[in-house]
Coordinates of all heavy atoms in Angstrom, one line a residue:
M1 N -14.2 3.1 -12.1 CA -12.9 3.7 -12.0 C -11.9 2.7 -11.5 O -12.3 1.9 -10.6 CB -12.9 4.8 -11.3 CG -11.6 5.5 -11.2 SD -11.7 7.1 -10.1 CE -12.5 8.2 -11.1
N2 N -10.6 2.5 -12.0 CA -9.7 1.7 -11.7 C -9.1 2.1 -10.3 O -8.9 3.4 -10.0 CB -8.6 1.5 -12.7 CG -7.7 0.5 -12.5 OD1 -7.7 -0.3 -11.5 ND2 -6.7 0.2 -13.4
L3 N -8.8 1.2 -9.4 CA -8.3 1.4 -8.1 C -6.9 2.0 -8.2 O -6.7 3.0 -7.5 CB -8.3 0.1 -7.1 CG -7.9 0.4 -5.8 CD1 -8.9 1.4 -5.0 CD2 -7.9 -0.9 -5.0
T4 N -6.2 1.6 -9.1 CA -4.8 2.2 -9.3 C -4.9 3.6 -9.6 O -4.1 4.4 -9.2 CB -4.0 1.3 -10.3 OG1 -4.0 0.0 -9.9 CG2 -2.6 1.7 -10.5
F5 N -5.7 3.9 -10.7 CA -6.0 5.2 -11.0 C -6.4 6.2 -9.9 O -6.0 7.2 -9.8 CB -6.9 5.3 -12.3 CG -7.0 6.8 -12.9 CD1 -6.0 7.3 -13.5 CD2 -8.3 7.4 -12.7 CE1 -6.1 8.6 -14.1 CE2 -8.4 8.6 -13.3 CZ -7.4 9.2 -13.9
L6 N -7.3 5.6 -9.1 CA -7.8 6.3 -7.9 C -6.8 6.7 -7.0 O -6.6 7.8 -6.4 CB -8.9 5.6 -7.3 CG -9.7 6.3 -6.2 CD1 -10.4 7.6 -6.6 CD2 -10.7 5.3 -5.5
V7 N -5.9 5.6 -6.7 CA -4.7 5.9 -5.8 C -3.8 6.9 -6.4 O -3.2 7.8 -5.7 CB -4.0 4.6 -5.5 CG1 -2.6 4.9 -4.8 CG2 -4.9 3.6 -4.7
F8 N -3.6 6.8 -7.7 CA -2.8 7.8 -8.4 C -3.3 9.2 -8.2 O -2.6 10.2 -8.0 CB -2.5 7.4 -9.8 CG -1.8 8.5 -10.6 CD1 -0.4 8.7 -10.5 CD2 -2.5 9.4 -11.5 CE1 0.3 9.5 -11.3 CE2 -1.8 10.4 -12.2 CZ -0.4 10.5 -12.1
L9 N -4.7 9.5 -8.5 CA -5.3 10.7 -8.4 C -5.2 11.3 -6.9 O -5.0 12.5 -6.7 CB -6.8 10.6 -8.7 CG -7.0 10.6 -10.3 CD1 -8.5 10.5 -10.5 CD2 -6.4 11.8 -10.9
I10 N -5.4 10.3 -5.9 CA -5.2 10.8 -4.4 C -3.8 11.3 -4.2 O -3.5 12.3 -3.6 CB -5.6 9.7 -3.5 CG1 -7.1 9.5 -3.7 CG2 -5.3 10.0 -2.2 CD1 -7.6 8.2 -3.0
G11 N -2.8 10.6 -4.8 CA -1.4 11.1 -4.6 C -1.1 12.4 -5.3 O -0.4 13.2 -4.8
L12 N -1.7 12.6 -6.5 CA -1.6 13.7 -7.1 C -2.2 14.9 -6.4 O -1.5 16.0 -6.3 CB -2.3 13.6 -8.6 CG -2.1 14.8 -9.4 CD1 -1.3 14.4 -10.8 CD2 -3.4 15.4 -9.9
V13 N -3.4 14.8 -5.9 CA -3.9 15.7 -5.0 C -3.2 16.1 -3.8 O -2.9 17.2 -3.4 CB -5.5 15.5 -4.7 CG1 -6.0 16.4 -3.7 CG2 -6.3 15.4 -6.0
Y14 N -2.6 15.1 -3.2 CA -1.8 15.2 -2.0 C -0.5 15.9 -2.2 O -0.1 16.8 -1.5 CB -1.5 13.8 -1.4 CG -0.6 13.8 -0.1 CD1 -1.3 14.1 1.1 CD2 0.7 13.5 -0.3 CE1 -0.4 14.1 2.2 CE2 1.6 13.5 0.9 CZ 0.8 13.8 2.1 OH 1.7 13.8 3.2
G15 N 0.2 15.6 -3.4 CA 1.4 16.4 -3.7 C 1.1 17.7 -4.1 O 1.9 18.7 -3.9
F16 N -0.1 18.0 -4.6 CA -0.4 19.4 -5.3 C -0.9 20.3 -4.0 O -0.5 21.5 -4.0 CB -1.5 19.4 -6.3 CG -1.9 20.6 -6.9 CD1 -0.9 21.2 -7.8 CD2 -2.9 21.3 -6.4 CE1 -1.3 22.5 -8.3 CE2 -3.2 22.6 -7.0 CZ -2.4 23.2 -7.9
V17 N -1.6 19.8 -3.0 CA -2.2 20.5 -2.0 C -1.1 20.8 -1.0 O -1.1 21.8 -0.4 CB -3.4 19.8 -1.4 CG1 -3.8 20.5 -0.1 CG2 -4.5 19.8 -2.5
N18 N -0.2 19.9 -0.6 CA 0.7 20.0 0.4 C 1.9 20.9 -0.1 O 2.5 20.6 -1.2 CB 1.3 18.7 0.9 CG 0.3 18.0 1.8 OD1 -0.6 18.6 2.3 ND2 0.6 16.7 2.0
P19 N 2.3 22.0 0.5 CA 3.3 22.9 0.1 C 4.6 22.3 0.2 O 4.9 21.5 1.1 CB 3.1 24.1 1.0 CG 2.5 23.7 2.1 CD 1.6 22.5 1.9
G20 N 5.4 22.6 -0.7 CA 6.8 22.1 -0.7 C 6.9 20.6 -1.4 O 5.8 19.9 -1.6
R21 N 8.0 20.1 -1.4 CA 8.2 18.7 -1.8 C 8.0 17.7 -0.7 O 8.2 17.9 0.4 CB 9.6 18.6 -2.3 CG 9.9 19.5 -3.5 CD 11.2 19.3 -4.1 NE 11.5 17.9 -4.7 CZ 11.1 17.5 -5.8 NH1 10.4 18.3 -6.7 NH2 11.4 16.3 -6.1
E22 N 7.5 16.6 -1.1 CA 7.1 15.6 -0.2 C 8.3 14.6 0.1 O 9.0 14.4 -0.9 CB 5.9 14.7 -0.7 CG 4.8 15.5 -1.1 CD 4.2 16.5 0.0 OE1 4.3 16.2 1.1 OE2 3.9 17.6 -0.4
N23 N 8.5 14.0 1.3 CA 9.4 13.0 1.5 C 9.0 11.6 1.0 O 8.2 11.0 1.6 CB 9.8 13.0 3.0 CG 10.9 12.1 3.4 OD1 11.5 11.5 2.5 ND2 11.3 12.2 4.6
K24 N 9.5 11.3 -0.1 CA 9.1 10.1 -0.9 C 9.5 8.8 0.0 O 8.7 7.9 0.0 CB 9.7 9.9 -2.3 CG 9.6 11.2 -3.2 CD 8.2 11.5 -3.5 CE 7.9 12.6 -4.5 NZ 8.2 13.9 -4.2
L25 N 10.7 8.7 0.6 CA 11.1 7.7 1.3 C 10.2 7.4 2.5 O 9.8 6.2 2.9 CB 12.5 7.9 1.8 CG 13.1 6.6 2.3 CD1 13.2 5.4 1.6 CD2 14.6 7.0 2.8
R26 N 9.8 8.5 3.2 CA 8.9 8.4 4.4 C 7.6 7.8 3.9 O 6.9 7.0 4.5 CB 8.6 9.7 5.0 CG 7.7 9.7 6.2 CD 7.6 11.1 6.9 NE 7.0 12.1 5.8 CZ 5.8 12.2 5.6 NH1 4.9 11.4 6.1 NH2 5.4 13.1 4.7
L27 N 7.1 8.3 2.8 CA 5.8 7.8 2.2 C 5.8 6.2 1.9 O 5.0 5.5 2.2 CB 5.3 8.5 0.9 CG 5.0 10.0 1.1 CD1 4.8 10.6 -0.2 CD2 3.6 10.0 2.0
L28 N 7.0 5.8 1.4 CA 7.2 4.5 1.1 C 7.2 3.6 2.3 O 6.7 2.4 2.4 CB 8.4 4.3 0.2 CG 8.7 2.8 -0.4 CD1 7.6 2.4 -1.3 CD2 10.0 2.7 -1.0
R29 N 7.9 4.1 3.3 CA 8.1 3.4 4.6 C 6.8 3.2 5.3 O 6.5 2.1 5.8 CB 9.1 4.0 5.6 CG 10.5 3.8 5.3 CD 11.4 4.2 6.6 NE 11.0 5.5 7.0 CZ 11.8 6.5 6.9 NH1 13.0 6.5 6.3 NH2 11.3 7.7 7.3
N30 N 6.0 4.3 5.3 CA 4.5 4.3 5.9 C 3.7 3.2 5.1 O 2.9 2.5 5.7 CB 4.0 5.7 5.8 CG 4.6 6.6 6.9 OD1 5.4 6.0 7.8 ND2 4.3 7.9 6.7
S31 N 3.8 3.2 3.7 CA 3.1 2.3 3.1 C 3.5 0.8 3.2 O 2.5 -0.1 3.3 CB 3.2 2.6 1.5 OG 4.3 2.3 1.0
L32 N 4.8 0.6 3.5 CA 5.2 -0.8 3.9 C 4.7 -1.2 5.2 O 4.3 -2.3 5.4 CB 6.6 -0.9 3.7 CG 7.3 -1.0 2.4 CD1 8.8 -0.9 2.4 CD2 6.7 -2.2 1.7
A33 N 4.6 -0.3 6.1 CA 4.1 -0.5 7.5 C 2.7 -0.8 7.4 O 2.3 -1.7 8.1 CB 4.4 0.7 8.5
V34 N 1.9 -0.1 6.7 CA 0.5 -0.3 6.6 C 0.3 -1.6 5.9 O -0.6 -2.4 6.3 CB -0.2 0.9 5.8 CG1 -1.7 0.5 5.4 CG2 -0.2 2.1 6.7
G35 N 1.0 -2.0 4.9 CA 0.9 -3.3 4.3 C 1.2 -4.5 5.1 O 0.6 -5.5 5.0
F36 N 2.2 -4.3 6.0 CA 2.5 -5.3 6.9 C 1.4 -5.5 7.9 O 1.0 -6.7 8.2 CB 3.9 -5.0 7.7 CG 4.3 -6.1 8.6 CD1 4.9 -7.3 8.2 CD2 4.1 -6.0 9.9 CE1 5.3 -8.3 9.0 CE2 4.6 -7.0 10.8 CZ 5.1 -8.1 10.3
V37 N 0.8 -4.5 8.4 CA -0.3 -4.6 9.4 C -1.6 -5.3 8.6 O -2.2 -6.2 9.2 CB -0.8 -3.3 9.8 CG1 -2.1 -3.2 10.6 CG2 0.4 -2.7 10.7
F38 N -1.8 -4.9 7.3 CA -2.9 -5.5 6.6 C -2.6 -6.9 6.3 O -3.5 -7.8 6.4 CB -3.2 -4.8 5.4 CG -4.0 -3.6 5.6 CD1 -3.8 -2.4 4.8 CD2 -5.1 -3.5 6.3 CE1 -4.5 -1.2 5.0 CE2 -5.9 -2.4 6.6 CZ -5.6 -1.3 5.9
G39 N -1.4 -7.2 6.1 CA -1.0 -8.6 5.8 C -1.2 -9.5 7.1 O -1.5 -10.6 6.9
V40 N -0.8 -9.0 8.1 CA -0.9 -9.8 9.4 C -2.4 -9.9 9.8 O -2.9 -11.1 10.1 CB -0.2 -9.0 10.6 CG1 -0.6 -9.6 12.0 CG2 1.4 -9.1 10.4
L41 N -3.2 -9.0 9.5 CA -4.7 -9.1 9.6 C -5.4 -10.1 8.7 O -6.1 -11.0 9.2 CB -5.4 -7.8 9.5 CG -5.2 -6.7 10.6 CD1 -5.9 -5.4 10.3 CD2 -5.7 -7.3 11.9
I42 N -4.8 -10.2 7.4 CA -5.3 -11.1 6.5 C -4.9 -12.5 6.8 O -5.6 -13.5 6.9 CB -4.8 -10.7 5.0 CG1 -5.5 -9.6 4.5 CG2 -5.0 -11.9 4.0 CD1 -4.9 -9.0 3.3
A43 N -3.7 -12.6 7.5 CA -3.1 -13.9 7.7 C -3.8 -14.4 9.0 O -4.1 -15.7 9.1 CB -1.6 -13.7 8.2
L44 N -4.2 -13.6 10.0 CA -5.0 -14.0 11.1 C -6.4 -14.5 10.7 O -6.8 -15.5 11.2 CB -5.0 -12.9 12.2 CG -3.8 -12.6 12.9 CD1 -4.0 -11.4 13.8 CD2 -3.6 -13.8 13.8
L45 N -7.0 -13.8 9.8 CA -8.3 -14.1 9.3 C -8.2 -15.5 8.6 O -9.1 -16.4 8.8 CB -8.9 -13.1 8.5 CG -9.4 -11.9 9.1 CD1 -10.0 -10.8 8.1 CD2 -10.6 -12.2 10.0
F46 N -7.2 -15.6 7.8 CA -7.0 -17.0 7.0 C -6.8 -18.1 8.0 O -7.3 -19.2 7.8 CB -5.8 -16.7 6.0 CG -5.8 -18.0 5.2 CD1 -6.5 -18.1 4.0 CD2 -4.9 -19.1 5.5 CE1 -6.4 -19.3 3.2 CE2 -4.7 -20.2 4.7 CZ -5.5 -20.3 3.5
F47 N -5.9 -17.8 9.0 CA -5.7 -18.9 10.0 C -6.9 -19.3 10.8 O -7.2 -20.5 11.1 CB -4.6 -18.4 11.0 CG -4.1 -19.2 11.9 CD1 -3.3 -20.3 11.6 CD2 -4.6 -19.3 13.3 CE1 -2.9 -21.2 12.5 CE2 -4.2 -20.2 14.2 CZ -3.3 -21.2 13.8
V48 N -7.8 -18.3 11.2 CA -9.0 -18.6 11.9 C -9.9 -19.4 11.1 O -10.6 -20.4 11.6 CB -9.6 -17.3 12.5 CG1 -11.0 -17.5 13.0 CG2 -8.8 -16.7 13.5
F49 N -10.1 -19.0 9.9 CA -11.1 -19.6 9.0 C -10.6 -21.0 8.4 O -11.4 -21.9 8.0 CB -11.6 -18.8 7.7 CG -12.4 -17.7 8.4 CD1 -12.1 -16.4 8.0 CD2 -13.6 -17.9 9.0 CE1 -12.8 -15.4 8.5 CE2 -14.5 -16.9 9.4 CZ -14.0 -15.6 9.2
T50 N -9.3 -21.2 8.5 CA -8.8 -22.6 8.0 C -8.4 -23.6 9.2 O -7.7 -24.6 8.9 CB -7.6 -22.4 7.0 OG1 -6.6 -21.6 7.7 CG2 -8.1 -21.7 5.8
L51 N -8.7 -23.1 10.4 CA -8.3 -23.9 11.5 C -8.9 -25.2 11.5 O -8.2 -26.3 11.8 CB -8.6 -23.2 12.8 CG -7.8 -23.6 14.1 CD1 -6.5 -23.5 13.7 CD2 -8.3 -22.8 15.2
P52 N -10.2 -25.4 11.1 CA -10.7 -26.8 11.1 C -10.0 -27.6 10.0 O -9.7 -28.8 10.1 CB -12.2 -26.5 10.6 CG -12.6 -25.3 11.0 CD -11.3 -24.4 10.9
V53 N -9.6 -27.0 8.8 CA -8.7 -27.9 7.9 C -7.4 -28.2 8.4 O -6.8 -29.3 8.2 CB -8.6 -27.0 6.6 CG1 -7.8 -27.8 5.7 CG2 -10.1 -26.7 6.1
G54 N -6.9 -27.4 9.4 CA -5.7 -27.6 10.0 C -5.6 -28.7 10.9 O -4.5 -29.2 11.1
L55 N -6.7 -29.3 11.3 CA -6.7 -30.5 12.1 C -6.3 -31.8 11.2 O -5.7 -32.7 11.8 CB -8.0 -30.7 12.7 CG -8.6 -29.7 13.6 CD1 -10.1 -30.1 14.0 CD2 -7.7 -29.7 14.9
F56 N -6.5 -31.7 10.0 CA -6.3 -32.8 9.2 C -4.9 -32.6 8.3 O -4.2 -33.5 8.2 CB -7.4 -33.0 8.0 CG -8.6 -33.3 8.7 CD1 -9.7 -32.3 8.7 CD2 -8.9 -34.5 9.4 CE1 -11.0 -32.6 9.3 CE2 -10.1 -34.8 9.9 CZ -11.0 -33.9 9.9
V57 N -4.7 -31.4 7.8 CA -3.4 -30.9 7.2 C -3.0 -29.8 8.0 O -3.3 -28.6 7.6 CB -3.7 -30.6 5.7 CG1 -2.4 -30.4 5.0 CG2 -4.6 -31.7 5.0
P58 N -1.9 -29.9 8.9 CA -1.5 -28.9 9.8 C -0.8 -27.7 9.2 O -0.7 -26.6 9.7 CB -0.7 -29.5 10.8 CG -0.5 -31.0 10.3 CD -1.4 -31.2 9.2
F59 N -0.2 -27.9 8.1 CA 0.6 -26.8 7.5 C -0.2 -25.7 6.6 O 0.2 -24.7 6.2 CB 1.8 -27.4 6.5 CG 1.3 -28.0 5.3 CD1 1.2 -27.4 4.1 CD2 1.1 -29.4 5.2 CE1 0.6 -28.0 3.0 CE2 0.7 -30.1 4.2 CZ 0.5 -29.3 3.0
I60 N -1.4 -26.1 6.3 CA -2.2 -25.2 5.4 C -2.5 -23.9 6.1 O -2.3 -22.8 5.5 CB -3.5 -25.9 4.9 CG1 -3.2 -26.9 3.9 CG2 -4.5 -24.8 4.4 CD1 -4.4 -27.6 3.3
P61 N -2.9 -23.8 7.4 CA -3.2 -22.5 8.0 C -1.9 -21.6 8.1 O -2.0 -20.4 7.9 CB -3.7 -22.9 9.4 CG -4.3 -24.2 9.2 CD -3.4 -24.9 8.2
L62 N -0.8 -22.3 8.4 CA 0.5 -21.6 8.5 C 0.9 -21.1 7.2 O 1.4 -19.9 7.1 CB 1.5 -22.6 9.1 CG 1.2 -22.9 10.6 CD1 2.3 -24.0 11.1 CD2 1.1 -21.8 11.5
L63 N 0.9 -21.9 6.2 CA 1.3 -21.6 4.8 C 0.4 -20.4 4.3 O 0.9 -19.4 3.7 CB 1.3 -22.7 3.9 CG 1.8 -22.6 2.5 CD1 3.2 -22.2 2.6 CD2 1.6 -23.8 1.6
G64 N -0.9 -20.5 4.5 CA -1.8 -19.4 4.1 C -1.5 -18.1 4.8 O -1.8 -17.1 4.3
G65 N -1.2 -18.2 6.1 CA -1.0 -17.1 6.9 C 0.3 -16.3 6.4 O 0.3 -15.1 6.3
L66 N 1.3 -17.1 6.1 CA 2.4 -16.5 5.5 C 2.2 -15.9 4.2 O 2.8 -14.7 3.9 CB 3.6 -17.5 5.5 CG 5.0 -17.2 4.9 CD1 5.6 -16.2 5.8 CD2 5.9 -18.3 4.6
A67 N 1.5 -16.6 3.4 CA 1.1 -16.0 2.2 C 0.4 -14.7 2.2 O 0.4 -13.8 1.4 CB 0.3 -17.0 1.3
G68 N -0.5 -14.6 3.3 CA -1.3 -13.4 3.4 C -0.5 -12.2 3.9 O -0.6 -11.1 3.4
V69 N 0.6 -12.6 4.6 CA 1.5 -11.4 5.1 C 2.4 -10.9 3.9 O 2.4 -9.7 3.7 CB 2.5 -11.8 6.1 CG1 3.6 -10.8 6.4 CG2 1.7 -12.1 7.5
V70 N 2.8 -11.9 3.0 CA 3.5 -11.5 1.9 C 2.8 -10.6 0.9 O 3.2 -9.7 0.3 CB 4.3 -12.8 1.3 CG1 4.8 -12.5 -0.1 CG2 5.3 -13.3 2.2
A71 N 1.5 -11.2 0.6 CA 0.6 -10.6 -0.2 C 0.3 -9.2 0.2 O 0.2 -8.2 -0.7 CB -0.7 -11.4 -0.5
G72 N 0.1 -9.0 1.5 CA -0.3 -7.7 2.1 C 0.8 -6.6 1.9 O 0.6 -5.6 1.5
V73 N 2.1 -7.1 2.0 CA 3.2 -6.3 1.9 C 3.4 -5.8 0.4 O 3.7 -4.8 0.0 CB 4.5 -6.9 2.4 CG1 5.8 -6.1 2.0 CG2 4.4 -7.0 3.8
F74 N 3.3 -6.9 -0.5 CA 3.5 -6.5 -1.9 C 2.3 -5.7 -2.5 O 2.7 -4.7 -3.3 CB 3.5 -7.9 -2.9 CG 4.8 -8.5 -2.8 CD1 5.0 -9.7 -2.4 CD2 5.9 -7.7 -3.0 CE1 6.3 -10.4 -2.4 CE2 7.3 -8.3 -3.2 CZ 7.5 -9.6 -2.8
I75 N 1.1 -5.8 -2.0 CA 0.1 -4.9 -2.5 C 0.2 -3.6 -2.0 O 0.0 -2.6 -2.7 CB -1.3 -5.5 -2.0 CG1 -1.7 -6.8 -2.8 CG2 -2.4 -4.5 -2.2 CD1 -2.9 -7.6 -2.3
A76 N 0.7 -3.5 -0.8 CA 0.9 -2.1 -0.2 C 2.0 -1.4 -0.8 O 2.0 -0.2 -1.1 CB 1.2 -2.1 1.3
L77 N 3.1 -2.2 -1.2 CA 4.3 -1.7 -1.9 C 3.8 -1.1 -3.2 O 4.2 0.0 -3.8 CB 5.4 -2.7 -2.0 CG 6.5 -2.2 -2.7 CD1 7.3 -1.2 -2.0 CD2 7.6 -3.4 -2.9
Y78 N 2.9 -1.9 -4.0 CA 2.4 -1.5 -5.4 C 1.8 -0.3 -5.3 O 2.0 0.8 -6.0 CB 1.6 -2.7 -5.9 CG 0.8 -2.3 -7.1 CD1 1.6 -2.1 -8.3 CD2 -0.5 -1.9 -7.1 CE1 0.9 -1.8 -9.5 CE2 -1.1 -1.6 -8.3 CZ -0.4 -1.5 -9.5 OH -1.2 -1.1 -10.6
F79 N 0.7 -0.2 -4.3 CA 0.0 1.0 -4.2 C 0.8 2.3 -3.7 O 0.6 3.4 -4.1 CB -1.4 0.8 -3.4 CG -2.4 0.1 -4.1 CD1 -2.9 -1.1 -3.7 CD2 -2.8 0.6 -5.3 CE1 -3.8 -1.8 -4.5 CE2 -3.8 -0.1 -6.1 CZ -4.3 -1.3 -5.6
G80 N 1.7 1.9 -2.8 CA 2.6 3.0 -2.3 C 3.4 3.7 -3.4 O 3.6 4.9 -3.4
V81 N 3.9 2.8 -4.3 CA 4.6 3.4 -5.3 C 3.7 4.2 -6.3 O 4.2 5.3 -6.8 CB 5.4 2.2 -6.2 CG1 6.0 2.6 -7.5 CG2 6.5 1.6 -5.3
V82 N 2.7 3.7 -6.6 CA 1.7 4.5 -7.4 C 1.3 5.8 -6.8 O 1.3 6.8 -7.4 CB 0.4 3.5 -7.7 CG1 -0.7 4.5 -8.4 CG2 0.6 2.5 -8.7
F83 N 1.0 5.7 -5.3 CA 0.9 7.0 -4.6 C 2.0 7.9 -4.8 O 1.8 9.2 -5.0 CB 0.5 6.6 -3.3 CG 0.1 7.8 -2.4 CD1 -1.2 8.3 -2.4 CD2 1.0 8.4 -1.5 CE1 -1.5 9.4 -1.6 CE2 0.6 9.5 -0.8 CZ -0.7 10.0 -0.8
I84 N 3.2 7.5 -4.6 CA 4.4 8.3 -4.7 C 4.5 8.9 -6.0 O 5.0 10.1 -6.1 CB 5.6 7.5 -4.3 CG1 5.6 7.2 -2.7 CG2 6.9 8.2 -4.6 CD1 6.6 6.2 -2.2
I85 N 4.3 8.1 -7.1 CA 4.4 8.8 -8.5 C 3.3 9.9 -8.6 O 3.6 10.9 -9.2 CB 4.1 7.5 -9.5 CG1 5.3 6.7 -9.5 CG2 3.9 8.2 -10.9 CD1 5.1 5.4 -10.3
G86 N 2.1 9.6 -8.0 CA 1.2 10.7 -8.0 C 1.6 12.0 -7.2 O 1.3 13.1 -7.7
T87 N 2.3 11.8 -6.1 CA 2.7 12.9 -5.4 C 3.9 13.5 -6.2 O 4.0 14.9 -6.1 CB 3.3 12.5 -4.0 OG1 4.3 11.6 -4.1 CG2 2.2 12.1 -3.1
F88 N 4.6 12.9 -6.8 CA 5.7 13.5 -7.6 C 5.1 14.4 -8.7 O 5.5 15.5 -9.0 CB 6.7 12.4 -8.3 CG 7.7 12.9 -9.2 CD1 8.7 13.6 -8.7 CD2 7.6 12.7 -10.6 CE1 9.7 14.1 -9.5 CE2 8.5 13.4 -11.4 CZ 9.6 14.0 -10.9
V89 N 4.1 13.9 -9.4 CA 3.4 14.6 -10.5 C 2.8 15.8 -9.9 O 2.8 17.0 -10.4 CB 2.5 13.8 -11.3 CG1 1.5 14.5 -12.2 CG2 3.1 12.7 -12.0
G90 N 2.2 15.7 -8.7 CA 1.5 16.8 -8.0 C 2.5 17.8 -7.6 O 2.2 19.1 -7.7
D91 N 3.7 17.4 -7.1 CA 4.9 18.5 -6.9 C 5.2 19.1 -8.1 O 5.4 20.4 -8.0 CB 5.9 17.7 -6.2 CG 5.7 17.3 -4.7 OD1 4.8 17.8 -4.2 OD2 6.4 16.4 -4.3
V92 N 5.3 18.4 -9.2 CA 5.7 19.1 -10.3 C 4.7 20.1 -10.8 O 4.9 21.2 -11.3 CB 6.0 18.1 -11.5 CG1 6.2 18.7 -13.0 CG2 7.2 17.2 -11.2
L93 N 3.4 19.7 -10.8 CA 2.4 20.6 -11.2 C 2.3 21.8 -10.2 O 2.1 23.0 -10.7 CB 1.0 20.0 -11.1 CG 0.6 19.1 -12.3 CD1 -0.6 18.3 -12.1 CD2 0.5 19.8 -13.5
E94 N 2.6 21.7 -9.0 CA 2.6 22.8 -8.0 C 3.7 23.7 -8.3 O 3.5 25.0 -8.3 CB 2.7 22.2 -6.5 CG 2.9 23.2 -5.5 CD 3.3 22.6 -4.2 OE1 3.5 21.3 -4.1 OE2 3.2 23.4 -3.1
S95 N 4.9 23.2 -8.7 CA 6.0 24.0 -8.9 C 5.8 24.8 -10.3 O 6.3 25.9 -10.5 CB 7.3 23.3 -9.0 OG 7.5 22.4 -10.1
L96 N 5.2 24.1 -11.3 CA 4.9 24.7 -12.5 C 3.8 26.0 -12.4 O 3.9 27.0 -13.0 CB 4.4 23.8 -13.5 CG 5.4 22.9 -14.0 CD1 4.9 21.9 -15.1 CD2 6.5 23.7 -14.9
L97 N 2.9 25.8 -11.5 CA 1.8 26.8 -11.3 C 2.2 27.8 -10.4 O 1.6 28.9 -10.6 CB 0.6 26.0 -10.8 CG -0.2 25.2 -11.8 CD1 -1.4 24.5 -11.1 CD2 -0.6 25.9 -13.1
K98 N 3.3 27.7 -9.6 CA 3.7 28.8 -8.7 C 4.5 29.8 -9.6 O 4.7 31.0 -9.1 CB 4.6 28.3 -7.5 CG 3.7 27.7 -6.5 CD 4.6 27.3 -5.3 CE 3.8 26.9 -4.1 NZ 4.6 26.5 -3.0
R99 N 5.0 29.4 -10.7 CA 5.9 30.4 -11.5 C 5.0 31.4 -12.1 O 4.3 31.9 -12.2 CB 6.6 29.6 -12.6 CG 7.7 28.7 -12.0 CD 8.4 28.0 -13.2 NE 9.3 27.0 -12.5 CZ 10.1 26.4 -13.3 NH1 10.2 26.5 -14.6 NH2 11.0 25.6 -12.7

């Protein structure tokens, strides 16, 4: 099963089970915050594991750490948008089945 499809299904269930419409902007902000935290963790791990290389080429750990933060934010934004689309579909299904 594709991870994107799984995130969409989780969003669909979340939108269907929670009563009322979901706050999409709040969900997007939360996904960006989580992405930033994961990006910082990835950057720290990259920095620690490339520290011996940094003795010879000092910019590699810093550049890799910055790339880790950026990648974490973009990945979280991608999955956050997929989750929000799933919640939107779940909200529509909830409103259709209540009629």
Side-chain angles (χ1 to χ4, degrees):
M1 183 181 284
N2 192 355
L3 184 61
T4 304
F5 184 67
L6 184 64
V7 169
F8 176 77
L9 282 179
I10 292 171
L12 184 117
V13 169
Y14 180 79
F16 185 74
V17 171
N18 285 342
R21 298 185 58 86
E22 309 307 323
N23 186 353
K24 310 295 190 283
L25 185 61
R26 181 181 55 85
L27 291 173
L28 187 62
R29 277 195 316 248
N30 289 347
S31 69
L32 284 177
V34 168
F36 184 74
V37 169
F38 281 139
V40 168
L41 289 175
I42 290 169
L44 285 175
L45 286 173
F46 186 85
F47 184 75
V48 167
F49 287 119
T50 59
L51 201 55
V53 175
L55 295 174
F56 302 107
V57 186
F59 67 89
I60 288 181
L62 297 175
L63 186 64
L66 179 65
V69 171
V70 172
V73 168
F74 279 127
I75 290 169
L77 182 63
Y78 170 73
F79 285 120
V81 168
V82 171
F83 184 81
I84 290 170
I85 292 170
T87 59
F88 177 75
V89 172
D91 284 340
V92 169
L93 286 175
E94 177 188 6
S95 67
L96 288 175
L97 291 177
K98 280 188 176 179
R99 291 182 183 183

